[in-house]
Amino acid sequence: MKERGGTLNLPHEEPETVANPPRVERPDPALLTYYILCSFLSFVGVVLVLPLMWVRFSTLRYQLESTGIRMQVGWLFRREVVVAFRRIQDIQISSNVVQRWLGIYSVSIQTASGNAMPEIVIEGVREPEAVRDWLYARTRGATVAKKLGSLTKETDGNSVSREEVLQVLREIRDSLDAIAETTPTPGNKASGT
């Protein structure tokens, strides 16, 4: 596993899986370059904007946890956002011309909070597709786990396990296969007619 400037670690030898998340802890150093360029575009405001962007870059942290994603930013005014995988509604990759020139992207994570802005934006990502695909796999996994978890809740005082549900589903499948074998298709005439 190679580190790029000690910021974004993505293993290249093994594929990303739900059990093997991409390591996104800090933004890529190119994000600081982007912040500096944006600061200089503010001309007179560079004296105020540049220090604020430097503080943002130096305090920006991400953690991919087992139940969700966490973002921390700020020094005097600290902001921490935690989004559970089951709350994620949409994941988008975006970049402007300067970001593409620097080779960095932003991964926006939207929830159903009613806010028009994304809940978390992972900035300074070199390989956004790996992060997006891993997050999609986790959100689908959280959805499936939630649905399976609801099947194991007690119903009328009887507890139903996942294994029992799977067994019933297999029996239904076998019954449908047997019906399909005995039912004549429109192109074939049933024997005996």
Side-chain angles (χ1 to χ4, degrees):
M1 183 181 321
K2 287 190 161 190
E3 291 189 20
R4 291 188 179 164
T7 57
L8 177 67
N9 302 319
L10 291 174
H12 298 284
E13 298 85 22
E14 49 192 87
E16 301 298 334
T17 62
V18 173
N20 185 22
R23 288 187 47 204
V24 180
E25 296 170 359
R26 300 256 311 121
D28 194 84
L31 183 64
L32 183 59
T33 305
Y34 175 71
Y35 284 167
I36 291 170
L37 289 173
C38 290
S39 297
F40 281 108
L41 289 176
S42 66
F43 300 113
V44 179
V46 72
V47 176
L48 289 174
V49 175
L50 187 57
L52 292 175
M53 293 297 195
W54 181 83
V55 168
R56 178 174 176 80
F57 176 79
S58 62
T59 60
L60 196 55
R61 304 275 187 275
Y62 304 104
Q63 276 184 312
L64 298 177
E65 299 173 344
S66 61
T67 58
I69 184 166
R70 175 186 309 266
M71 180 188 83
Q72 298 172 335
V73 66
W75 182 45
L76 291 175
F77 303 101
R78 191 141 183 87
R79 179 175 174 235
E80 183 173 343
V81 180
V82 179
V83 174
F85 291 123
R86 69 185 188 303
R87 289 187 51 223
I88 295 176
Q89 296 288 317
D90 192 25
I91 303 166
Q92 297 177 353
I93 297 173
S94 62
S95 65
N96 60 32
V97 175
V98 177
Q99 287 174 323
R100 283 192 299 274
W101 177 66
L102 293 171
I104 58 174
Y105 300 86
S106 296
V107 179
S108 301
I109 300 169
Q110 187 75 37
T111 64
S113 65
N115 191 355
M117 300 300 293
E119 196 79 25
I120 292 180
V121 178
I122 304 174
E123 298 179 89
V125 179
R126 287 276 182 191
E127 297 179 20
E129 291 85 10
V131 175
R132 179 198 59 204
D133 294 344
W134 186 84
L135 287 170
Y136 270 138
R138 289 298 293 182
T139 58
R140 287 187 202 114
T143 304
V144 170
K146 183 178 177 183
K147 288 179 181 175
L148 283 177
S150 67
L151 291 175
T152 61
K153 292 182 181 175
E154 289 191 17
T155 308
D156 296 328
N158 297 325
S159 179
V160 179
S161 70
R162 290 183 184 147
E163 290 76 24
E164 292 172 321
V165 171
L166 289 173
Q167 181 59 35
V168 169
L169 289 173
R170 286 186 191 110
E171 291 172 6
I172 292 171
R173 179 197 60 203
D174 294 342
S175 298
L176 289 173
D177 287 343
I179 291 170
E181 290 175 3
T182 59
T183 305
T185 58
N188 297 336
K189 290 188 175 184
S191 58
T193 54

